[in-house]
Amino acid sequence: MSRDVALVGRRTGRRIALAIAVVALGTAAVGGWRARMPELRVYDGLWMLLWATVAVGLTGALVWHWPRERSLPIIATAAIAGCWLPIVVSASTHRMPLTARLRGSWLLGGADVVGITVPIGFVCLWLALREHRPTAVDSSP
């Protein structure tokens, strides 16, 4: 009986994580879309979302068979790095100081919304997709 209750609780938790992921990634997409400035060719929020998606996709393929607890920090790191790497690349490409580029992106380019919601969204998505498999320590009486 307690095992059935645990399975229902885990299923509910995964659904909640999926809902949070959809809201967070949707907020990032809308925030990136609204903050774009096509006349200046500034698409910082959308680039951040794209690079984070590619980074998490590639990393997720590598760590898919790892236990969820071991792969989660790797996915979180990939989401954060993938999110901020296009700003760093843009700063070096345009020979700008990194702090000025980060500040401009944070204030004008949508990085304030996207930079926070993308890692949260991908971590929750990973929790929703990956099932928790109890180990011998978890299942002890």
Side-chain angles (χ1 to χ4, degrees):
M1 175 83 171
S2 69
R3 182 182 166 127
D4 293 336
V5 172
L7 288 176
V8 169
R10 286 188 186 130
R11 209 174 307 134
T12 304
R14 288 175 68 191
R15 287 180 182 154
I16 291 170
L18 181 62
I20 292 171
V22 167
V23 169
L25 294 173
T27 301
V30 169
W33 184 259
R34 286 186 178 168
R36 76 193 193 292
M37 293 181 261
E39 60 277 356
L40 300 175
R41 296 186 198 167
V42 175
Y43 301 96
D44 289 345
L46 296 174
W47 279 114
M48 291 171 72
L49 181 60
L50 176 68
W51 280 47
T53 303
V54 170
V56 169
L58 293 174
T59 306
L62 293 174
V63 300
W64 182 257
H65 293 289
W66 292 11
R68 184 171 81 164
E69 292 77 16
R70 209 170 110 204
S71 62
L72 187 62
I74 305 297
I75 293 298
T77 303
I80 292 168
C83 194
W84 290 103
L85 198 57
I87 306 303
V88 173
V89 169
S90 173
S92 68
T93 302
H94 293 78
R95 296 189 174 100
M96 293 178 70
L98 181 59
T99 54
R101 183 66 179 95
L102 287 171
R103 192 175 309 125
S105 179
W106 189 266
L107 294 174
L108 299 173
D112 54 343
V113 174
V114 177
I116 294 170
T117 57
V118 164
I120 292 171
F122 279 121
V123 165
C124 288
L125 183 63
W126 191 255
L127 290 173
L129 292 176
R130 294 301 318 255
E131 185 174 345
H132 174 72
R133 294 189 181 111
T135 60
V137 175
D138 293 339
S139 61
S140 63

